Amino acid sequence: METENPVNYKYMGRSFNDLSINDDSTAFSDCNSDRSGEFPSASSQNRRLLLACANSENSDDLIRQLVSDLDSCSIDEQKQAALELRLLAKNKPENRIKIAKAGAIRPLISLISSSDPYLQENGVTAILNLSLCDENKELIASSGAIKPLVRALRTGTSTAKENAACALLRLSQVEENKVAIGRSGAIPLLVNLLENGGFRGKKDASTALYSLCTVKENKIRAVEAGIMRPLVELMADFGSNMVDKSAFVMSVLVPVPEAKTALVEEGGIPVLVEIIEVGSQRQKEIAVAILLQICEDSVLFRTMVAREGAIPPLVALSQSGTNRAKQKVSY
């Protein structure tokens, strides 16, 4: 597996280290446990769940029963068991280890392939909530969750797709899983979610792609899947609340030549110049970093950047920007 390392770039005869913007903590908040509603009414199951959450001994007994119910011949019992396990894993972090140790992971993965959309959604989301525990990530991946999660990205409800993207992000935090996720066909589906999903879907897809595309072969897959068009469109839309996220994803892609070419073909240069003119300070810094990588070793691209009017805003940024921005522009 080839993971990108910091690069020493040269531009206009001068060298500088690692153009990537490292402060991505506020642009990418981790996909956390599911944000959908819980039980619609105070059912007996609801009261049982609340009791279990409050009492460790009761929760152990309930978890064992629920894991057993996942293999029930009754689809209604399976639905209820998956829902309760999903919520137990959401509400109490210590339950995530208990549920995994009770043997829930494999039957939950099986539910992800269900033709029943509600059952699939709860299976996906339960796996997402369990994957929030670092101790569970390797077990989830080794139990065969990646391909079913990718299928949920293709066929699931909007919530299932969003939570599948989050679960794949969590699994990608184990470095060895990034190539497996890419080779499973996840990248084009995440690009589609980025382009066509709702706001949460776009956010979750961009976060997953940002993690996965630290691997070179996944960068190429993303470019071949047409990622540059939605990235450029989202960066051009300052009302989308996706400018920072899209720019960060683009910044990890542009070191590969295919991404630079695709960015230019999709009209990315004028969008980046506009960001330098009117974007936030951080957005300006990311845009400068991307433009410098585009211009690296390409007279044609440097000429195109200059013709788009980049020089005046770059000069202004060199005079009024942060020290980090001034350092980038000076090169």
Side-chain angles (χ1 to χ4, degrees):
M1 177 178 63
E2 185 175 351
T3 302
E4 295 292 313
N5 294 316
V7 180
N8 183 51
Y9 292 94
K10 292 184 178 179
Y11 182 65
M12 301 293 286
R14 300 177 68 181
S15 63
F16 51 97
N17 293 324
D18 192 13
L19 273 177
S20 63
I21 307 295
N22 294 320
D23 184 19
D24 58 7
S25 56
T26 55
F28 289 107
S29 57
D30 277 342
C31 294
N32 293 318
S33 61
D34 61 285
R35 285 151 278 182
S36 51
E38 298 193 4
F39 290 105
S41 62
S43 64
S44 60
Q45 288 92 345
N46 189 11
R47 289 192 295 272
R48 184 174 64 161
L49 180 63
L50 292 174
L51 177 63
C53 287
N55 186 304
S56 178
E57 184 177 348
N58 283 342
S59 73
D60 291 345
D61 293 340
L62 176 58
I63 286 168
R64 285 191 290 270
Q65 180 59 52
L66 292 173
V67 172
S68 176
D69 289 346
L70 290 175
D71 293 322
S72 170
C73 295
S74 166
I75 192 170
D76 289 335
E77 287 188 6
Q78 287 182 313
K79 287 180 181 179
Q80 189 63 40
L83 175 60
E84 293 197 31
L85 286 169
R86 158 186 172 173
L87 295 177
L88 282 167
K90 173 182 179 178
N91 292 322
K92 292 193 72 176
E94 57 267 34
N95 284 336
R96 296 165 191 160
I97 295 177
K98 292 180 181 180
I99 292 169
K101 288 183 176 179
I105 287 176
R106 288 188 183 277
L108 284 170
I109 291 172
S110 296
L111 298 187
I112 297 175
S113 300
S114 172
S115 60
D116 184 293
Y118 185 79
L119 196 54
Q120 181 190 55
E121 182 180 309
N122 278 306
V124 167
T125 311
I127 288 295
L128 163 61
N129 292 348
L130 292 175
S131 73
L132 300 177
C133 173
D134 289 340
E135 295 180 35
N136 290 339
K137 290 186 175 75
E138 291 188 18
L139 178 58
I140 291 171
S142 65
S143 297
I146 291 174
K147 288 184 178 180
L149 287 169
V150 171
R151 284 196 295 272
L153 265 180
R154 180 182 294 109
T155 65
T157 65
S158 60
T159 298
K161 290 177 179 179
E162 292 162 358
N163 289 343
C166 283
L168 290 170
L169 164 67
R170 288 292 178 172
L171 297 184
S172 75
Q173 292 168 347
V174 177
E175 197 69 22
E176 293 74 15
N177 291 335
K178 292 183 179 182
V179 168
I181 293 171
R183 292 177 181 176
S184 70
I187 302 295
L189 297 170
L190 288 167
V191 171
N192 181 64
L193 186 60
L194 177 70
E195 186 167 17
N196 299 310
F199 174 67
R200 185 191 159 193
K202 292 178 187 296
K203 181 174 73 68
D204 294 343
S206 67
T207 308
L209 287 163
Y210 181 74
S211 174
L212 290 166
C213 288
T214 58
V215 176
K216 184 175 181 180
E217 66 180 72
N218 286 343
K219 298 180 198 287
I220 296 171
R221 288 191 181 95
V223 174
E224 291 176 345
I227 193 174
M228 280 302 169
R229 180 173 62 186
L231 287 180
V232 170
E233 289 176 352
L234 289 168
M235 288 171 60
D237 182 2
F238 284 89
S240 69
N241 291 319
M242 287 290 297
V243 176
D244 293 43
K245 295 176 180 65
S246 301
F248 273 115
V249 175
M250 187 176 287
S251 74
V252 300
L253 294 171
V254 290
V256 298
E258 296 90 341
K260 295 176 185 177
T261 302
L263 186 156
V264 173
E265 290 175 349
E266 294 294 342
I269 289 178
V271 172
L272 290 164
V273 173
E274 182 182 13
I275 290 173
I276 295 172
E277 291 175 332
V278 301
S280 68
Q281 194 62 45
R282 182 172 66 175
Q283 290 167 357
K284 292 178 181 182
E285 292 178 8
I286 306 170
V288 169
I290 294 170
L291 282 177
L292 286 175
Q293 292 182 76
I294 294 172
C295 293
E296 177 69 10
D297 296 327
S298 175
V299 174
L300 173 61
F301 290 166
R302 286 200 292 270
T303 301
M304 293 175 69
V305 169
R307 286 178 178 173
E308 286 296 333
I311 303 303
L314 286 172
V315 171
L317 189 60
S318 70
Q319 295 172 344
S320 62
T322 64
N323 290 335
R324 183 166 60 179
K326 290 177 182 179
Q327 183 181 23
K328 286 180 170 60
V329 172
S330 70
Y331 295 112

